[in-house]
Amino acid sequence: MLTLYYVSATFVQSWRIQRACNKIAEQLAQSSSIAFYALQPGNDDGFDPTFASSELCGNRNAAKVTDILWLRGNQRGCCLRPLQALQITPWISFPSAPSLLPFAYAAETATPTTTPTEAQPQSRITLSSDKTQHLHLLVESQVEPQRENSAPHTTMVRLEDYGKLIAWKIDSHLAVLIETDIEHFTKLLIMTFLQNNLCINDNLPLLRIESVEREGQPQPFELLANHLKRQSRNVAEINAESWQKHLKDLRALSVLAHQATEFETQKNRTEGKTGLLKQELVSQRQPEQAAPAAVQVKAVAVVEPTTKATSPAKSTQLKQPSPVQSPLNKHSELEKIAATKVTPRQQPVEVQDNTFTPVMATPAAKTSTPNKSFVAVKPSSPPPTPAPAPKLTPTPTPAPAAATSASRPRPILRRNKDSLGESKPLNVLVYSDSASARESAIATLRQLLERDVYTIYALTPQQAAQKFWMEQTALLVVCGSVATTVGQILVDYFLHGGKVLSLCSDILHFILPNYRTAEVREHELVQFSYDKWQRVKMMHHIFCYQPSPVKKNFSTDSEESTGQSHSRKPSMELKDLAGQTHKLDVKVLGTEEIWNTPSLMLANSLQSGGKAVFSQVHLETNPSEFEFDEEKFTVLKQNESTRLEIFTDLLRKYLGVQVRDSASADPTATGVVFKQAYFLGRHESKFELLEKLRLRCTGTEHVIVTPKLTMKFCGQDDKTPVANTNVLPILIHSCPDDFSTVDYFDNLKTEHIGRLVIYAPVVSSSMHVINDLELVHGIAVLPLQQTAGVGRSCNQWLSPLGCAMFSTQLHIATDTALGSRLPLIQHIIGAAIVNTLRGHPLYRVLDIALKWPNDIIANGNYKIGGLVVNTTLLGSLAIVNIGSGINLSNSKPTVCINGMINEYNVRMPDSKLPLLKYEQFIALVFNEIERILADVQNGNFETFYALYYELWLHSEQNVKICLQNDQEKDASIVGIDDYGFLKVKLANGKIETVQPDGNSFDMLKGLIVPKYN
């Protein structure tokens, strides 16, 4: 019997593998990417394309999952379109085999073993002679080898047995590019993911295998290795301590590769603007009071303009760089960097350039970027008094475009360029070509920015190119190298009123093209002064940009204090993408003390008020990143508080960003104290749920462990654990002091929703309490404050005190009316929240509406709420987890309901409205959710659609959509379909269903007609 079972299981597994292989071959022929990847245990991305494709791929944001190939435990396999592109210019080529860098791999030939008479060694791998069968694979792994006892059933897979090793890079994980063919790609998948054998060279845990399109050439390993100290690894088997030294060597090589890439990119951009780099122009420069022997060796690359400028007001327009150099030219670029170790510090020849006289910029209101936003036109007359009970009566479905009834006018959405200035919490975006620099910048910003005001996101090149981010961005932070096409867009953002902080980035050269002189400084500590902070030591950028003109005519703080700058003309001029000229005023804020080169600079756009601060020192770098270098670590640690003070001062004084006071700059001072939660409701219902959860409990106590949270239901005699971000004790028999159960249950009229409640004064996220668990229909989690709230598409959700937040779990049978249209649930919940106020006899006067798909808007353009819905199918039952929040009493980050009530009471003192209590409002929302759900489950979809169109902002709104042939067309919104997607009408009268293109900034921009439906 067991033999029969084994044979059957083997047959099924073989069938699954064969089926996956057939699909792989089919998809590769259609220019798709194949991605197999492993998630963290307990996570479920639902085949989210942003997880399916590697963050290293340049067009990751455009990825769409078109087919599912593999699903087992935490492993996924899928097809992605378009074919994902990988730029490997900052990567490193593999040294000749055999080698130990970046991991141990064997020679390209295999020693013959069949007979001792064989004299010719055989090639380890022979790829197909048909080049159309060749492809490139991105392989990613962790950087720490797995222990032998941690995965006893895994066998190490050697990548060199399945393809040619091309290039590698290391950051938070190791990435390898190999060239292979379809046959060997399939074999590699079979040996790894399809057999649950995730282990490659050096026993590194495998994370991903993804087919990609290669772009660029890697940096030659031989040239990079010549400029590093002797490598620490010389044997295959090394201990944990030696492995850490090995990783240090790999990261040093990776840094040098990035520097070489940045140097080459800068040179190409410079050549495209002004001419060729001429090494013979380099001449020596000595400090005034220093002996030549004491001078630190450096190399200087100088740019000579092709012509001498004579016009004092000649504008500089962004231009395309010259074509990227071929790999044969890399040698000279690397030697320029290598010269930092052998060439004395030199002085560039001063070159005549434009002469400008700056004028002080007067503060100006931020000019909106070209993209438009929305403003609602208020109804001309107040709506009449509705019926006392907000009940829906079945009526024939009106046409969506005519959904507005005469009895209840709805605001009409109009385009207005300045209407969304504060409609959402403003974003702070970080653009970086390095994951480590991006993480460092984000960590520092979270430490310094005012809480509950900004959301901080990484900006990808694809998102930057779409430009949807511009209207909602308070600050753009740029680190490292910037591609020319992206750089032009970032400059355009600045010229139209944006605020930019450049942290050791060549965006400086885009905005200030006359900063042409690049001086190489590899891992150098410099001493500079800024404002009251004197003789500060920090790490300098690899390049030191300096202005080329003999007379820079850039103001300094000291000049402003003496009034010298008032008679000067603008420093320079720059054209935006539309060809309009903008005058800039540039001044130096801080200088390095030895060579008097600018360390901090400020550029003002005199027309738009745009501001850009440029730092040539690494303000984002935490001293912990240099723990391996005791000398640098000690110095940086001593200057850490000064670093944060300077960073804060630049944000506040020049970029207009709200920051915390100095007392709260400590990263450990979160201001949040985690507390125990409370289990509220009927005792019988509580213990029925605890009995249901018994199988999920660990040990004899009521402890439930989920991927994000450990919960313990505590009785009267149980020991209560200390609450923290990962542990939530829940008291079964107690009532909270800061939550009125009387106000809540007296207003609650439901049968199921909200009857069982877990009230948590502070929790990481209320969704963490219900995710990964099958609880009961209608259970609710009510947090007073969240520390890690998550919105749609993993967006951040600010959760300050005063925000009315809840999560609830619904159980919906798939054979019911709503079960066949599950995507409508988010629209039902949104309509219920809005109609709680719009259908109330008192609060109907408040201007609250829906913005598709799930935003709650106040006064036509202020976002005050939203929701997220996650659905899991268990057989014929859908487990729907809903999270929502709406600004009730918190004035930050936008406006709130009680603030609107206060404003109304000022205008209408004779008919004042009572403020809404938190408990009362949540109960009223639950009442409305259950009422609408019951109506829909009875099949009254027409009634729901009629209500939805009364509450939303979009009927007859004009939008732009992208058709299947990538052609952009104007269309007008006419409604939503059975699954909640937008229906639009084209000029020819054709109705199309559209969906978002994946951008997370504004879902009404970039609407596309699905290509694969």
Side-chain angles (χ1 to χ4, degrees):
M1 190 68 181
L2 289 175
T3 302
L4 180 61
Y5 174 78
Y6 176 77
V7 171
S8 301
T10 303
F11 174 78
V12 170
Q13 182 72 354
S14 300
W15 175 82
R16 292 180 67 202
I17 292 175
Q18 184 60 43
R19 180 172 175 269
C21 293
N22 291 339
K23 277 193 173 183
I24 289 170
E26 176 186 343
Q27 293 293 331
L28 288 175
Q30 302 178 18
S31 297
S32 298
S33 280
I34 305 297
F36 279 69
Y37 56 102
L39 297 169
Q40 292 295 326
N43 287 355
D44 182 5
D45 68 344
F47 288 96
D48 186 335
T50 58
F51 289 101
S53 181
S54 170
E55 66 174 5
L56 299 175
C57 294
N59 56 343
R60 174 194 187 195
N61 194 58
K64 306 292 182 184
V65 175
T66 60
D67 205 350
I68 294 175
L69 303 175
W70 192 254
L71 175 60
R72 180 172 64 187
N74 68 327
Q75 299 173 17
R76 304 285 187 271
C78 63
C79 303
L80 298 168
R81 291 187 187 177
L83 178 61
Q84 295 297 281
L86 183 69
Q87 174 58 251
I88 63 168
T89 303
W91 292 40
I92 305 168
S93 67
F94 275 85
S96 300
S99 178
L100 301 173
L101 289 175
F103 47 58
Y105 57 95
E108 296 178 354
T109 57
T111 303
T113 57
T114 54
T115 64
T117 60
E118 287 183 312
Q120 294 297 328
Q122 298 178 348
S123 176
R124 179 172 294 277
I125 178 174
T126 302
L127 299 182
S128 171
S129 58
D130 184 1
K131 292 296 184 180
T132 62
Q133 297 288 308
H134 287 207
L135 68 154
H136 288 91
L137 299 181
L138 169 62
V139 181
E140 294 180 276
S141 74
Q142 296 181 16
V143 296
E144 296 292 342
Q146 60 186 14
R147 299 177 181 177
E148 294 182 1
N149 56 359
S150 64
H153 303 296
T154 60
T155 303
M156 186 175 69
V157 175
R158 289 186 170 273
L159 294 182
E160 65 269 27
D161 291 338
Y162 299 90
K164 179 182 178 182
L165 302 176
I166 302 297
W168 62 273
K169 70 167 293 185
I170 189 169
D171 205 323
S172 58
H173 57 273
L174 176 67
V176 176
L177 183 74
I178 68 173
E179 181 181 357
T180 186
D181 54 24
I182 295 177
E183 177 186 356
H184 287 89
F185 178 26
T186 305
K187 290 180 179 179
L188 178 59
L189 288 178
I190 292 174
M191 286 300 297
T192 53
F193 282 92
L194 302 191
Q195 295 189 20
N196 195 27
N197 187 48
L198 305 185
C199 180
I200 62 170
N201 305 56
D202 281 341
N203 288 316
L204 296 175
L206 179 63
L207 298 175
R208 171 187 305 277
I209 300 176
E210 181 177 355
S211 63
V212 296
E213 181 181 23
R214 165 185 170 178
E215 296 179 352
Q217 296 288 342
Q219 301 296 326
F221 168 80
E222 292 76 11
L223 295 180
L224 296 173
N226 289 338
H227 310 301
L228 288 179
K229 63 182 181 181
R230 185 172 60 87
Q231 298 158 11
S232 60
R233 184 180 185 183
N234 49 28
V235 295
E237 300 294 332
I238 56 177
N239 57 27
E241 182 180 357
S242 297
W243 181 260
Q244 294 304 314
K245 294 180 180 179
H246 174 60
L247 290 180
K248 179 182 175 182
D249 288 344
L250 297 184
R251 290 193 170 99
L253 274 171
S254 190
V255 168
L256 194 56
H258 273 279
Q259 293 170 353
T261 303
E262 187 175 351
F263 187 89
E264 182 180 352
T265 302
Q266 184 61 47
K267 174 179 178 294
N268 288 335
R269 183 182 300 118
T270 301
E271 289 177 351
K273 290 177 178 294
T274 58
L276 299 175
L277 287 166
K278 296 190 176 182
Q279 189 68 24
E280 64 270 15
L281 292 179
V282 178
S283 61
Q284 279 195 333
R285 177 179 72 175
Q286 301 290 348
E288 295 179 1
Q289 298 178 349
V295 178
Q296 191 173 1
V297 291
K298 297 291 167 189
V300 181
V302 183
V303 179
E304 181 185 30
T306 55
T307 59
K308 295 184 178 181
T310 57
S311 172
K314 183 178 178 180
S315 62
T316 306
Q317 186 171 4
L318 298 175
K319 299 180 182 178
Q320 295 291 339
S322 59
V324 179
Q325 288 184 310
S326 69
L328 298 176
N329 294 330
K330 288 183 178 293
H331 187 87
S332 61
E333 304 307 326
L334 291 169
E335 284 187 340
K336 288 185 176 68
I337 293 181
T340 61
K341 302 182 181 299
V342 297
T343 307
R345 192 176 188 106
Q346 299 163 339
Q347 180 176 357
V349 174
E350 293 181 334
V351 183
Q352 182 67 31
D353 203 345
N354 301 341
T355 303
F356 303 112
T357 309
V359 174
M360 289 301 297
T362 56
K366 176 179 177 179
T367 302
S368 174
T369 51
N371 290 327
K372 307 299 182 184
S373 53
F374 309 116
V375 63
V377 180
K378 290 183 176 294
S380 57
S381 60
T385 304
K391 294 182 179 180
L392 292 174
T393 56
T395 57
T397 305
T404 307
S405 63
S407 62
R408 194 181 194 175
R410 181 181 67 258
I412 300 172
L413 205 62
R414 299 265 178 90
R415 294 278 187 175
N416 185 286
K417 67 178 182 179
D418 293 324
S419 63
L420 276 185
E422 300 178 4
S423 66
K424 289 184 178 180
L426 289 175
N427 297 322
V428 172
L429 304 182
V430 179
Y431 182 97
S432 175
D433 64 338
S434 164
S436 58
R438 178 172 59 247
E439 292 168 3
S440 297
I442 291 176
T444 303
L445 289 167
R446 285 178 175 161
Q447 188 174 343
L448 300 180
L449 295 181
E450 185 64 65
R451 294 188 184 95
D452 302 324
V453 175
Y454 305 100
T455 48
I456 306 172
Y457 296 110
L459 181 69
T460 66
Q462 294 72 39
Q463 291 171 332
Q466 289 177 317
K467 304 181 183 179
F468 300 142
W469 53 275
M470 291 185 173
E471 292 179 349
Q472 293 302 318
T473 300
L475 175 67
L476 172 65
V477 180
V478 187
C479 307
S481 300
V482 179
T484 301
T485 53
V486 174
Q488 293 171 336
I489 295 172
L490 303 187
V491 172
D492 217 53
Y493 166 72
F494 157 70
L495 292 177
H496 288 86
K499 305 298 189 293
V500 177
L501 174 60
S502 167
L503 298 174
C504 296
S505 170
D506 58 2
I507 191 67
L508 182 153
H509 189 75
F510 282 93
I511 297 178
L512 306 178
N514 55 326
Y515 269 69
R516 299 191 183 97
T517 303
E519 179 185 351
V520 179
R521 294 183 167 187
E522 184 183 354
H523 296 299
E524 181 183 352
L525 271 171
V526 297
Q527 187 167 278
F528 72 99
S529 297
Y530 159 67
D531 202 271
K532 67 179 181 180
W533 296 276
Q534 302 295 309
R535 305 177 66 81
V536 182
K537 291 185 177 181
M538 290 189 194
M539 298 301 299
H540 201 281
H541 185 27
I542 176 71
F543 298 118
C544 177
Y545 291 111
Q546 304 175 49
S548 293
V550 177
K551 298 180 179 180
K552 298 185 294 290
N553 287 318
F554 293 160
S555 63
T556 63
D557 286 336
S558 60
E559 289 176 348
E560 289 190 3
S561 63
T562 60
Q564 295 181 17
S565 63
H566 294 291
S567 62
R568 292 184 286 107
K569 297 179 181 179
S571 300
M572 60 175 296
E573 295 179 350
L574 196 65
K575 289 186 177 181
D576 60 23
L577 292 176
Q580 181 181 356
T581 300
H582 296 256
K583 297 180 180 180
L584 305 184
D585 179 61
V586 183
K587 67 178 180 180
V588 175
L589 302 178
T591 56
E592 184 213 359
E593 295 186 357
I594 297 179
W595 302 107
N596 201 33
T597 55
S599 297
L600 297 171
M601 290 172 289
L602 172 68
N604 290 305
S605 174
L606 300 183
Q607 286 97 323
S608 68
K611 294 181 183 297
V613 171
F614 307 96
S615 173
Q616 297 202 80
V617 292
H618 285 284
L619 289 173
E620 81 284 3
T621 301
N622 190 290
S624 61
E625 297 181 32
F626 287 87
E627 287 182 329
F628 60 87
D629 189 321
E630 183 176 352
E631 179 182 357
K632 289 186 175 65
F633 174 74
T634 302
V635 174
L636 294 174
K637 191 69 175 176
Q638 293 172 349
N639 288 269
E640 173 63 359
S641 61
T642 304
R643 174 182 79 93
L644 297 177
E645 290 173 5
I646 293 176
F647 205 137
T648 301
D649 190 70
L650 293 172
L651 292 174
R652 179 195 296 115
K653 182 184 295 184
Y654 299 109
L655 298 172
V657 177
Q658 298 182 45
V659 293
R660 307 180 195 180
D661 55 38
S662 57
S664 62
D666 182 1
T668 61
T670 61
V672 175
V673 178
F674 285 89
K675 301 178 181 179
Q676 57 203 14
Y678 300 85
F679 200 12
L680 308 176
R682 294 176 58 250
H683 284 285
E684 296 83 355
S685 300
K686 289 194 286 187
F687 284 100
E688 285 177 7
L689 176 58
L690 292 176
E691 183 63 29
K692 180 178 180 179
L693 292 173
R694 187 176 297 277
L695 293 177
R696 281 297 309 267
C697 295
T698 59
T700 58
E701 300 179 331
H702 295 296
V703 177
I704 298 176
V705 179
T706 66
K708 297 291 182 65
L709 192 65
T710 297
M711 295 170 283
K712 179 179 180 180
F713 289 88
C714 304
Q716 292 179 340
D717 300 327
D718 293 337
K719 183 178 179 181
T720 304
V722 177
N724 58 49
T725 186
N726 300 313
V727 177
L728 182 66
I730 304 172
L731 305 186
I732 302 174
H733 302 288
S734 302
C735 287
D737 296 329
D738 53 355
F739 181 85
S740 174
T741 55
V742 174
D743 287 339
Y744 176 74
F745 286 106
D746 281 356
N747 284 281
L748 189 67
K749 309 301 180 185
T750 64
E751 183 177 352
H752 298 288
I753 298 179
R755 282 294 164 187
L756 267 184
V757 171
I758 296 176
Y759 168 70
V762 181
V763 69
S764 56
S765 171
S766 59
M767 294 294 282
H768 294 168
V769 181
I770 60 176
N771 282 342
D772 304 294
L773 293 173
E774 181 186 357
L775 302 171
V776 294
H777 175 66
I779 188 172
V781 182
L782 305 183
L784 201 61
Q785 187 175 8
Q786 295 182 126
T787 60
V790 178
R792 174 183 54 83
S793 300
C794 296
N795 284 346
Q796 299 172 38
W797 181 261
L798 300 180
S799 309
L801 286 171
C803 182
M805 298 168 285
F806 69 86
S807 289
T808 184
Q809 186 175 100
L810 305 180
H811 294 183
I812 299 175
T814 56
D815 58 356
T816 61
L818 184 56
S820 62
R821 302 186 187 181
L822 288 174
L824 277 181
I825 291 178
Q826 66 170 327
H827 304 288
I828 292 173
I829 302 301
I833 295 173
V834 173
N835 205 49
T836 297
L837 298 169
R838 289 275 293 271
H840 195 280
L842 295 179
Y843 302 106
R844 54 182 290 275
V845 296
L846 301 179
D847 186 3
I848 308 291
L850 279 171
K851 179 183 176 184
W852 183 88
N854 51 20
D855 284 349
I856 300 168
I857 305 297
N859 296 331
N861 64 329
Y862 291 91
K863 179 177 177 179
I864 62 170
L867 60 110
V868 60
V869 178
N870 298 322
T871 302
T872 303
L873 293 179
L874 294 179
S876 61
L877 185 67
I879 307 297
V880 184
N881 292 331
I882 301 164
S884 180
I886 185 168
N887 296 346
L888 181 63
S889 300
N890 53 300
S891 58
K892 292 190 304 184
T894 56
V895 297
C896 63
I897 293 174
N898 279 332
M900 297 171 68
I901 293 174
N902 284 327
E903 291 177 0
Y904 175 85
N905 290 341
V906 172
R907 296 194 309 267
M908 309 291 290
D910 296 333
S911 56
K912 290 187 176 181
L913 301 176
L915 296 178
L916 281 165
K917 295 182 179 179
Y918 168 74
E919 299 88 345
Q920 172 195 8
F921 177 72
I922 293 292
L924 294 177
V925 169
F926 287 163
N927 295 343
E928 191 66 6
I929 291 175
E930 187 163 286
R931 186 188 67 78
I932 297 180
L933 281 175
D935 212 35
V936 170
Q937 284 288 48
N938 288 330
N940 294 328
F941 286 98
E942 293 180 352
T943 307
F944 164 70
Y945 284 127
L947 173 67
Y948 185 79
Y949 294 135
E950 279 196 44
L951 301 176
W952 83 336
L953 289 169
H954 305 301
S955 290
E956 300 181 346
Q957 177 192 332
N958 294 325
V959 294
K960 289 186 180 294
I961 67 170
C962 186
L963 302 180
Q964 294 183 0
N965 59 2
D966 293 332
Q967 184 181 9
E968 193 174 70
K969 291 286 187 181
D970 291 324
S972 60
I973 297 176
V974 296
I976 58 175
D977 66 6
D978 290 345
Y979 301 98
F981 289 114
L982 278 182
K983 292 193 300 184
V984 301
K985 179 189 289 186
L986 300 177
N988 59 8
K990 184 180 179 182
I991 302 296
E992 291 278 9
T993 298
V994 296
Q995 65 185 31
D997 66 349
N999 88 83
S1000 59
F1001 297 101
D1002 192 336
M1003 294 183 71
L1004 282 173
K1005 296 179 181 178
L1007 294 171
I1008 60 174
V1009 176
K1011 294 184 179 181
Y1012 315 110
N1013 53 12

